[in-house]
Amino acid sequence: MTRDQKPPVCVLGAGLIGGSLLRAARAAGYPAWGYNRSQAGVRAATADGYDVTGDLAAALTRAAESDALIVVAVPMPAVDHLLGAVETLAPDCALTDVVSVKGPVVRAVRAHGLGKRYVGGHPMAGTSESGWSATDSELFRNAVWTVGADDDAHARVWTRVARLAVDCGAVVVPVGAEDHDRAVARISHLPHVLAEALAVAGSGGGTLALGLAAGSFRDGTRVAGTAPDLVRAICEPNRDALLEVLDDTIAVLTAARDDLRAHGSLAKLVEAGHDGRAAFDTVRRWEITDIRPGDHDWQARLRDAGRRGGVFTTLRT
């Protein structure tokens, strides 16, 4: 492989995220192939001209022979099975993932003895659809993609994962696994739970209520259209962090209910919510330029930069 050639990528799982990654990686010039358990998914991807197989051993053997970056792109319940195959067939390959929770993946990777070649990832992108038919090579364009910066992250693997994310159009945020899981509990997993609850409340009003529903109900329940087993696979592995933020949210709602009952007012909730949304709309990102993977204490410095809004939109060679 010459300096101008991009290293190969093997994507394990060709659903919405994995399939979109396969499309985006190939569009960015990476030699890329994938594995998918569902034969229907394999046929759909193959019909679209993508190199996807239902033979996991063949995909991983090819990865080992070509020193590919392996991307685990399945829901958490299926991660351990794939890691077992990687341990057996391609243990020396660089390894990442796009799973929505990081702590459990890190522990599983270490249990299979793959920690030295692993750097986690999580693109903050998606839709309520699933499967190959929902894939889009532009899904990651301008999306945030977290790249793990725990103390045992390997500099070359980190750079390889981050460069793939940037080449797919994403903005890279370095983050540790624990920080990641606490953050996504608030801005990803809790919204799933609240969307389900709102959908239940709306449907409880019967045909009239649903017939009157417009933008606020539609937007608030969008992710409730996601397949239930996938929502559970996203949220349940992050149980502890999600329980903490659910307790916080229930306390906020309880206080709002009590204020409405006692004073006829939702002012405290509405004003605090308005301020929270304004904070989201005005969050500032800045380019990290002074930290190079492999420098002294680079992982801790990247984690600190990520907490303060630091990102990578480009990577130096």
Side-chain angles (χ1 to χ4, degrees):
M1 184 172 64
T2 68
R3 286 178 60 88
D4 295 331
Q5 289 178 314
K6 293 183 177 179
V9 176
C10 173
V11 182
L12 305 182
L16 171 63
I17 302 299
S20 295
L21 176 54
L22 189 60
R23 287 182 180 273
R26 196 173 83 170
Y30 286 83
W33 65 92
Y35 156 80
N36 197 61
R37 181 179 61 84
S38 163
Q39 286 301 314
V42 172
R43 289 192 296 270
T46 302
D48 283 346
Y50 287 83
D51 188 355
V52 177
T53 179
D55 187 336
L56 178 59
L60 287 175
T61 298
R62 182 177 173 186
E65 292 172 348
S66 58
D67 191 29
L69 170 63
I70 297 173
V71 184
V72 175
V74 295
M76 189 64 215
V79 166
D80 192 68
H81 168 68
L82 291 187
L83 291 179
V86 173
E87 180 185 7
T88 300
L89 296 168
D92 296 323
C93 283
L95 178 67
T96 188
D97 74 288
V98 290
V99 181
S100 63
V101 66
K102 294 274 74 76
V105 177
V106 169
R107 290 190 287 274
V109 165
R110 290 171 179 167
H112 284 278
L114 300 169
K116 291 183 179 180
R117 300 289 289 164
Y118 168 78
V119 169
H122 180 202
M124 304 301 297
T127 71
S128 60
E129 304 299 320
S130 60
W132 178 264
S133 62
T135 60
D136 179 2
S137 64
E138 293 294 304
L139 183 66
F140 312 112
R141 184 70 53 189
N142 298 319
V144 167
W145 190 316
T146 69
V147 176
D150 292 295
D151 288 339
D152 57 353
H154 189 286
R156 287 188 178 181
V157 179
W158 193 94
T159 302
R160 194 166 172 181
V161 173
R163 179 163 287 120
L164 174 63
V166 167
D167 285 347
C168 288
V171 175
V172 167
V173 175
V175 64
E178 291 185 6
D179 285 349
H180 170 279
D181 290 354
R182 286 194 296 267
V184 297
R186 292 184 176 274
I187 53 82
S188 178
H189 302 166
L190 177 65
H192 274 285
V193 175
L194 296 180
E196 307 290 357
L198 179 57
V200 170
S203 64
T207 301
L208 176 61
L210 294 177
L212 296 175
S216 59
F217 183 80
R218 180 187 63 246
D219 295 345
T221 60
R222 180 184 64 82
V223 293
T226 306
D229 58 341
L230 183 55
V231 174
R232 293 185 61 192
I234 290 170
C235 296
E236 291 174 358
N238 202 21
R239 181 186 64 181
D240 291 345
L242 182 53
L243 283 171
E244 180 178 345
V245 71
L246 274 171
D247 285 342
D248 291 347
T249 305
I250 290 168
V252 168
L253 290 173
T254 299
R257 180 202 63 191
D258 293 346
D259 280 348
L260 183 62
R261 176 181 291 145
H263 308 295
S265 174
L266 291 172
K268 291 181 181 179
L269 174 64
V270 172
E271 290 169 6
H274 185 271
D275 289 346
R277 174 64 196 208
F280 167 69
D281 289 335
T282 58
V283 68
R284 292 187 178 183
R285 297 172 179 163
W286 51 275
E287 189 80 18
I288 300 170
T289 60
D290 60 342
I291 306 171
R292 183 187 294 270
D295 288 350
H296 174 69
D297 206 24
W298 65 274
Q299 299 100 326
R301 293 170 63 204
L302 280 183
R303 290 196 301 272
D304 177 66
R307 293 187 193 105
R308 296 184 289 110
V311 303
F312 291 93
T313 59
T314 61
L315 286 172
R316 292 177 292 174
T317 301

